[in-house]
């Protein structure tokens, strides 16, 4: 069972969007997949309520501690959607449950400044420092050829966590969420540019680089 945590202390950075698309991707690939929604707003579970019955099933699990205890043992992938404001002990507890961590960051001055602080806190957690959990950064909702994206791109490239992908700002993510689908489940004529942007993240997740160091 592999646990993938999508987290950032900054709210509104697209954690639920990425978590739901990840869960849908693994499910569509034939893996038994669970989605743990730790956010009080329950955005991930709301997405799941809209999921059509004829698509690959995703098991929704509310809560954090209680939720992780009730994840089916048959689950091969567990995607954890974390709440905003995860710091200190709460962040350490979230990381303690994960082998892989994805940190989405938006192209705004506030988010860029917060990213450096959050990554520093993440790297200070023993499990990450000892490489028993691997983390990666994703630029989210970007508009290419803008000054703010250039700034975000430069800052993320300098941080001591791999910067593996950037996702454009697109209506496809809204379309997918409203239908209970992942970005990979939209028709190719609509979503092929987004699929291409997801390829580096999927490749990283499939590689040893995203796997914890053997104890």
């Amino acid at each position: 069972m592999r646990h993938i945590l999508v987290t950032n202390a900054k709210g509104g950075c697209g954690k639920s969007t990425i978590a739901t698309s990840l869960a849908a991707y693994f499910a569509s690939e034939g893996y038994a997949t669970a989605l743990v929604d730790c956010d009080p707003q329950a955005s991930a579970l709301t997405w799941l309520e809209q999921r059509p019955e004829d698509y690959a099933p995703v098991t929704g699990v509310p809560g954090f501690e209680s939720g992780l205890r009730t994840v089916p043992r048959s689950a091969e992938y567990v995607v954890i959607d974390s709440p905003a404001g995860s710091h200190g002990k709460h962040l350490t507890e979230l990381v303690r449950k994960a082998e892989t961590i994805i940190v989405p960051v938006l192209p705004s001055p506030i988010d860029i400044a917060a990213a450096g602080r959050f990554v520093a806190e993440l790297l200070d957690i023993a499990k990450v420092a000892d490489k028993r959990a691997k983390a990666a950064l994703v630029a989210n909702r970007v508009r290419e050829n803008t000054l703010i994206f250039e700034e975000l791109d430069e800052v993320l490239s300098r941080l001591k966590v791999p910067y593996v992908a950037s996702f454009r700002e697109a209506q496809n993510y809204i379309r997918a969420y409203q239908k209970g689908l992942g970005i990979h489940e939209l028709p190719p004529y609509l979503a092929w540019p987004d699929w291409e942007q997801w390829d580096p993240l999927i490749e990283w997740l499939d590689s040893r680089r995203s796997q914890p160091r053997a104890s």
Side-chain angles (χ1 to χ4, degrees):
M1 186 183 295
R2 182 175 180 187
H3 299 77
I4 299 174
L5 170 66
V6 183
T7 188
N8 189 336
K10 184 71 172 56
C13 62
K15 293 184 292 291
S16 296
T17 300
I18 291 175
T20 53
S21 274
L22 267 180
Y25 171 79
F26 290 126
S28 67
E29 290 292 301
Y31 295 103
T33 304
L35 178 60
V36 178
D37 193 342
C38 302
D39 193 331
Q41 296 181 355
S43 298
L45 294 183
T46 300
W47 166 85
L48 193 54
E49 289 173 0
Q50 312 306 317
R51 189 161 177 79
E53 293 183 0
D54 55 342
Y55 277 74
V58 175
T59 301
V61 183
F64 177 51
E65 287 292 348
S66 59
L68 286 171
R69 286 197 296 268
T70 58
V71 168
R73 292 185 179 182
S74 59
E76 296 168 276
Y77 280 90
V78 179
V79 179
I80 305 169
D81 181 20
S82 76
S86 296
H87 277 300
K89 183 179 179 181
H90 184 229
L91 179 61
T92 300
E93 284 299 307
L94 285 165
V95 169
R96 190 168 65 87
K97 302 295 185 181
E99 295 82 43
T100 304
I101 303 161
I102 298 170
V103 181
V105 184
L106 295 188
S108 82
I110 293 174
D111 289 80
I112 291 170
R117 296 191 295 270
F118 184 74
V119 167
E121 182 177 3
L122 195 62
L123 291 172
D124 202 38
I125 296 173
K127 189 172 182 180
V128 179
D130 295 342
K131 302 188 186 305
R132 289 178 290 119
K134 295 291 189 69
L137 298 164
V138 172
N140 197 28
R141 297 178 188 160
V142 306
R143 295 181 180 179
E144 295 183 355
N145 303 316
T146 60
L147 291 176
I148 193 65
F149 174 53
E150 290 179 10
E151 181 182 348
L152 174 63
D153 191 67
E154 182 180 345
V155 169
L156 295 188
S157 297
R158 292 200 308 262
L159 295 177
K160 296 179 181 179
V161 168
Y163 167 33
V164 298
S166 62
F167 302 153
R168 66 176 183 159
E169 184 175 30
Q171 289 296 306
N172 283 338
Y173 290 101
I174 297 174
R175 292 189 184 101
Y177 178 86
Q178 290 175 336
K179 296 179 180 179
L181 303 178
I183 196 69
H184 293 89
E185 295 173 319
L186 292 179
Y189 72 88
L190 279 178
W192 67 265
D194 303 297
W195 298 353
E196 287 187 348
Q197 292 186 334
W198 272 74
D199 283 347
L201 176 60
I202 299 300
E203 180 182 349
W204 182 78
L205 288 169
D206 286 341
S207 73
R208 294 180 63 87
R209 291 173 292 145
S210 69
Q211 301 288 332
R213 187 177 64 182
S215 33

